[in-house]
Amino acid sequence: MSAILLFALILALYYSVDQIVMPRMTRQDETITVPDLRDRPLSEALTEIEASSLVLGDTTSRIGLESQQGLIVSQRPRPLAQVKTGRRVYLTIYRGSEPDITIPDVTEQSLRNARLILEALGLVVQQEVPDTIPSPVPSMVTRIFPSVGTMIARGDSVTIFYGQGIDLDRMVTVPNVVGQRYAVADSLLRLSGLWPTLLDEDLDHDNPFILRQSTTPGETLPAGSTLRLFTTPNSLEF
């Protein structure tokens, strides 16, 4: 009887070691395949991590498109890597979008410099178009579309307009722009072949009235000459 009990005890001990103790000891060397979590929602990725006996590690973020918000950009360890149970998985997630960009004033810049400035901001120069507005030298930027100060998204397209130079041997009759808004005076002078420069500008006023001009209306100047404009925010102050 004692021999039977001893045999049963040995059998039970062997079962415990073989089925319980050893699996727990050897599980340290068990490997699993890391799932591919890229382009999946964070909630779905967390479920997959837990189901794979992995642990979520730290997360970082990256700016993305509106349609990408909350999706996994990348992971570490990489997808399909063989790792031990309990390994931490680190995720990078799309959160936040690119801030809008204010179109800078690149007028009077060379065409090349304007293009470099805009591309450095992440904008795409879609076209470079000869302008009807003349410029003192060829390939000088005369205007941009969308206009200076407009807020657009990174990656949006802009069009640069540039002058083709002026015949400096041509004489131009100076028009009278006193009392005009600066935007109107600027267009009139450029179309006449003169190059306006705004002085005494009221920084709190975007489009002031012209108080006086450096050359008397009716006089003649070589095309491409600079005409200085002096401003006041209120035409009644003349």
Side-chain angles (χ1 to χ4, degrees):
M1 188 70 177
S2 59
I4 295 175
L5 289 174
L6 180 60
F7 177 76
L9 181 61
I10 293 173
L11 186 62
L13 181 60
Y14 172 80
Y15 178 83
S16 299
V17 172
D18 183 63
Q19 299 296 320
I20 300 174
V21 177
M22 290 303 295
R24 290 183 178 178
M25 292 177 63
T26 58
R27 195 178 180 187
Q28 297 291 335
D29 297 325
E30 181 183 347
T31 62
I32 56 176
T33 302
V34 177
D36 189 349
L37 305 172
R38 296 169 298 179
D39 295 323
R40 298 168 71 174
L42 178 58
S43 57
E44 187 177 312
L46 294 176
T47 301
E48 188 73 24
I49 288 172
E50 184 176 356
S52 301
S53 298
L54 299 171
V55 177
L56 177 65
D58 294 334
T59 63
T60 55
S61 61
R62 179 182 297 178
I63 290 174
L65 301 175
E66 184 176 351
S67 60
Q68 296 174 314
Q69 300 303 303
L71 300 181
I72 307 302
V73 184
S74 60
Q75 64 183 85
R76 184 166 53 87
R78 67 183 185 281
L80 307 182
Q82 297 296 311
V83 299
K84 293 181 180 180
T85 301
R87 173 70 183 270
R88 289 185 179 274
V89 178
Y90 301 89
L91 302 176
T92 300
I93 306 164
Y94 283 118
R95 292 195 181 103
S97 57
E98 293 280 6
D100 288 338
I101 296 169
T102 302
I103 294 182
D105 187 356
V106 293
T107 57
E108 303 189 24
Q109 295 278 350
S110 69
L111 194 55
R112 178 179 180 276
N113 285 349
R115 187 188 316 114
L116 291 174
I117 291 170
L118 295 169
E119 289 177 347
L121 292 173
L123 300 176
V124 176
V125 178
Q126 186 176 40
Q127 295 186 83
E128 296 171 350
V129 181
D131 202 350
T132 55
I133 298 175
S135 63
V137 295
S139 298
M140 176 182 285
V141 176
T142 52
R143 57 194 173 101
I144 186 172
F145 180 83
S147 59
V148 174
T150 302
M151 300 286 288
I152 62 176
R154 186 180 299 273
D156 281 358
S157 298
V158 296
T159 298
I160 299 176
F161 295 85
Y162 62 92
Q164 301 178 74
I166 291 176
D167 179 5
L168 300 180
D169 293 330
R170 180 170 63 91
M171 298 301 292
V172 175
T173 300
V174 176
N176 184 7
V177 295
V178 173
Q180 299 283 355
R181 288 284 189 180
Y182 171 68
V184 174
D186 182 81
S187 296
L188 287 173
L189 292 170
R190 289 175 190 263
L191 289 171
S192 298
L194 299 173
W195 201 250
T197 298
L198 187 60
L199 302 175
D200 296 343
E201 182 178 1
D202 187 328
L203 298 179
D204 295 327
H205 204 281
D206 293 332
N207 191 22
F209 288 94
I210 304 303
L211 175 64
R212 58 189 177 89
Q213 59 191 69
S214 61
T215 302
T216 303
E219 292 187 13
T220 57
L221 292 173
S225 296
T226 297
L227 187 70
R228 296 188 300 277
L229 302 177
F230 301 86
T231 67
T232 177
N234 190 337
S235 62
L236 298 179
E237 293 181 5
F238 293 164

